Amino acid sequence: MTAPSDVSVGYIGLGNMGAPMAERLLEWPGGLTVLDTRPEAVEPFTAAGAAAAANAAELAAGCDVISVTVLDDAQVRDVVTGPGGLLTTARPGTVIAVHSTISDATAVDLAAVCAERGVDLVDAPVSGGAAGARKGTLAVMVGADEAAFAKVREPFTTWAGLVIHAGPVGSGTRMKLARNLLHFISFNAAAEAQRLAEAAGLDITALGKVVRHTDAITGGAGAIMLRDTTAALAPDDPWFPILAHARSLGEKDLTLALELGDRLGVELPLGTQALADLGTGLGVGPGELAQQYSMKENA
């Protein structure tokens, strides 16, 4: 069996994310081959010692693990199964890792097509943005069977600070979508908080500094994502007093914020929803303040 460090790696797509990820593979012992439609993107890699392929088929013919970072589902399908695509030359045992955020259904469908050729396609979307890619600290969520995951884990550690085996093919994408659901809902919540602060005559750039500073200390929303289930907690569960305390603090502060919004004439729909749902979401049920606010609103 080929040692993980001896596998040859290919990288397709040298954009804002792909280039810094591939750059960290330049010293990979098994060698690196790159492909991009733009010669100017490829040139720094060949100057640093990487090989360049003219097309996906040429790259696949000489690589054991192939990373793909392109725009969307259509481009992924074209790279993998299109004319001159990876499957035209990929050898059995090759692993194709898709880092693009695509539909989980696309990942499962392409994996089935690849399996007919003895090739493993895994979905391995990343989180951490361009800054994380430049620092080599990305999180990568891999949907793969155990054997395929074992092949990609070591190459991925060159550019990722966290490599998670999310489950079978499709699981990496589903985890990324759940993560991004939180991300973009939090953007909406940030906008709501800014509206409240602005109406109160505050400097919202200063508020942003406070949020970034304290989230770096507390971990933000991820700080409560420690349980292995979302089921309701029994009162004797060790987590119950911890999360009940979080609920009490949250309901108090949400109530005060909503009262401020009422006085200033600022609608806070996310805040209202959060007060109603916080205790249930934490698994401890609504607290007294949430129940009182609900009765007041329904009166």
Side-chain angles (χ1 to χ4, degrees):
M1 179 180 289
T2 303
S5 60
D6 292 335
V7 302
S8 54
V9 176
Y11 209 107
I12 299 177
L14 304 173
N16 289 338
M17 292 294 293
M21 291 165 67
E23 185 177 349
R24 291 182 172 272
L25 288 160
L26 282 168
E27 301 300 321
W28 180 252
L32 174 67
T33 302
V34 297
L35 172 64
D36 194 278
T37 57
R38 300 161 300 140
E40 66 273 18
V42 173
E43 193 279 331
F45 287 89
T46 55
N55 52 53
E58 182 180 317
L59 183 142
C63 294
D64 303 306
V65 171
I66 302 166
S67 284
V68 177
T69 307
V70 293
L71 183 61
D72 53 24
D73 294 54
Q75 288 190 3
V76 170
R77 287 186 180 276
D78 186 58
V79 165
V80 176
T81 63
L86 296 172
L87 275 188
T88 59
T89 59
R91 298 159 294 180
T94 299
V95 180
I96 300 170
V98 178
H99 302 305
S100 312
T101 301
I102 58 174
S103 165
D104 60 321
T106 297
V108 172
D109 180 44
L110 285 176
V113 174
C114 289
E116 295 174 359
R117 308 284 187 90
V119 172
D120 288 302
L121 182 136
V122 306
D123 57 317
V126 299
S127 185
R134 289 191 296 270
K135 295 176 182 177
T137 56
L138 292 168
V140 55
M141 297 148 278
V142 187
D145 64 24
E146 293 287 350
F149 180 69
K151 292 179 184 177
V152 301
R153 178 169 45 197
E154 192 169 332
F156 286 3
T157 58
T158 63
W159 46 259
L162 179 66
V163 182
I164 293 291
H165 187 191
V169 174
S171 300
T173 299
R174 294 167 194 140
M175 185 174 286
K176 173 66 182 292
L177 294 177
R179 194 271 170 269
N180 279 10
L181 176 71
L182 171 61
H183 187 65
F184 291 110
I185 287 176
S186 71
F187 279 13
N188 200 11
E192 185 165 294
Q194 287 177 307
R195 290 195 298 273
L196 177 64
E198 190 172 53
L202 303 175
D203 179 351
I204 64 173
T205 62
L207 172 63
K209 290 179 182 179
V210 171
V211 171
R212 290 188 295 275
H213 179 85
T214 53
D215 275 2
I217 298 169
T218 66
I224 63 101
M225 300 176 73
L226 300 171
R227 297 175 60 213
D228 60 3
T229 176
T230 60
L233 289 164
D236 60 351
D237 190 293
W239 277 107
F240 194 94
I242 298 169
L243 295 178
H245 179 64
R247 176 199 63 195
S248 297
L249 291 176
E251 288 187 355
K252 174 181 68 68
D253 291 353
L254 285 166
T255 298
L256 293 171
L258 291 172
E259 289 174 351
L260 176 60
D262 286 341
R263 295 200 306 274
L264 297 174
V266 179
E267 292 188 2
L268 303 173
L270 290 176
T272 301
Q273 191 70 44
L275 178 57
D277 293 345
L278 178 63
T280 301
L282 292 174
V284 294
E288 184 177 345
L289 288 175
Q291 296 175 50
Q292 289 175 355
Y293 190 87
S294 177
M295 290 174 62
K296 173 185 170 185
E297 289 295 295
N298 294 327

